[in-house]
Amino acid sequence: MVRAVMLSMLCVCAFFAAGCGNEDEADIKAQYNLAEDAITQQNALAYLNQYSQESIAQVEETIRAARECTAAQTKNLPPSMLMHVIQLRNRCDAKRLKTMTPEDFTAWRMEEGLLTPDSDHEILVHSVQVRKNYAVMQMGIRDTGRTRVRGGRRNWVAGAINVAAAVSEGGIIPIEGMTGNFVKQDGWWKIDNVTNWNETNTWIAQNAQENQLPVADFLAAYEKEEYGKLKSNIWSPVK
């Protein structure tokens, strides 16, 4: 089943060389905590404020694609963007989508349960690796013998997870492939969702290939299983 495959842990490696010191690591963790708090409080603007400029532009392009792209254009979108476009067209009221802003998109994802705090799923920060103006946050879980988690705000869904053969940090063991990217802009660390989506693109494409399905059909099938239904017009622009 598509769901079974989507529930397998994505295996994207995004490690950088060892970093630039404890100050940057502390700042990145602080930004991460601000984002977690914003989701918990359902504060879409506060969460969006943690995004890089390019990540916000990516959201704007996703909304535009959901409104305007033809069937052929939609099916040729990058997999991560296509996943969000399918969700918007399938779940969101057309009137709301026509006037949607990045802030409203974020609020809508919170309302739909598509954007949830990592802490709700017992996902914790394992470590941070910094390289100049880029950083990768490795996520992990406490070593309790439990091996099932779901989701987190990176929009990744996990079933039986793979625990990396790596050193435990403060009793937290890393989850193989579960990372978050950050970029430093104007002296501030921001969520680099462009890189996050690029990594997820690879994973989606690999799973679609394993299911012997085009990416668009694979994601449509997954959305139907997740949401329980799929509109017949999800490939068409919003009317």
Side-chain angles (χ1 to χ4, degrees):
M1 290 177 63
V2 171
R3 181 179 179 83
V5 175
M6 290 295 281
L7 291 178
S8 66
M9 185 59 219
L10 92 158
C11 296
V12 176
C13 296
F15 290 102
F16 282 68
C20 301
N22 292 331
E23 185 175 346
D24 278 329
E25 292 180 19
D27 288 346
I28 291 165
K29 288 178 180 178
Q31 289 299 103
Y32 169 82
N33 288 332
L34 285 173
E36 281 280 282
D37 291 344
I39 301 171
T40 300
Q41 297 164 12
Q42 299 282 285
N43 189 331
L45 181 58
Y47 179 72
L48 203 62
N49 284 339
Q50 310 311 315
Y51 266 26
S52 69
Q53 296 167 6
E54 294 79 6
S55 298
I56 293 174
Q58 181 175 251
V59 172
E60 292 172 338
E61 177 59 20
T62 300
I63 297 168
R64 186 204 65 78
R67 290 177 186 149
E68 301 175 8
C69 281
T70 64
Q73 291 168 336
T74 299
K75 292 180 180 182
N76 283 323
L77 290 171
S80 292
M81 185 175 292
L82 175 57
M83 177 177 66
H84 286 86
V85 167
I86 289 173
Q87 290 171 342
L88 281 167
R89 288 181 175 177
N90 193 45
R91 306 186 192 196
C92 185
D93 177 73
K95 183 178 179 180
R96 181 175 184 178
L97 181 52
K98 287 179 181 179
T99 61
M100 183 171 276
T101 63
E103 181 180 351
D104 191 37
F105 171 77
T106 305
W108 176 80
R109 291 184 65 215
M110 291 175 175
E111 294 163 11
E112 287 290 320
L114 297 169
L115 186 58
T116 57
D118 291 339
S119 56
D120 281 5
H121 314 282
E122 302 178 18
I123 299 172
L124 304 167
V125 177
H126 171 269
S127 57
V128 177
Q129 295 185 331
V130 181
R131 184 179 181 183
K132 296 183 179 179
N133 290 329
Y134 296 90
V136 176
M137 176 176 284
Q138 173 65 54
M139 309 310 295
I141 55 172
R142 295 201 181 280
D143 188 7
T144 61
R146 298 170 61 186
T147 59
R148 293 190 68 82
V149 295
R150 180 181 175 84
R153 61 184 148 113
R154 283 163 301 281
N155 207 31
W156 297 343
V157 184
I161 64 173
N162 296 317
V163 176
V167 177
S168 172
E169 295 283 347
I172 301 172
I173 51 178
I175 303 170
E176 182 182 342
M178 185 171 279
T179 57
N181 293 277
F182 291 80
V183 60
K184 199 170 192 178
Q185 294 183 335
D186 300 324
W188 297 93
W189 285 100
K190 298 289 185 177
I191 295 171
D192 179 11
N193 220 33
V194 173
T195 300
N196 289 340
W197 281 23
N198 285 340
E199 293 175 353
T200 306
N201 287 343
T202 302
W203 176 66
I204 293 172
Q206 289 172 345
N207 279 275
Q209 186 175 27
E210 289 173 6
N211 274 263
Q212 299 181 336
L213 288 171
V215 167
D217 292 345
F218 175 71
L219 289 174
Y222 176 62
E223 169 65 7
K224 184 176 182 179
E225 290 188 25
E226 281 291 288
Y227 192 57
K229 59 183 178 180
L230 189 72
K231 293 179 180 176
S232 60
N233 62 347
I234 60 160
W235 305 120
S236 302
V238 176
K239 296 181 180 180

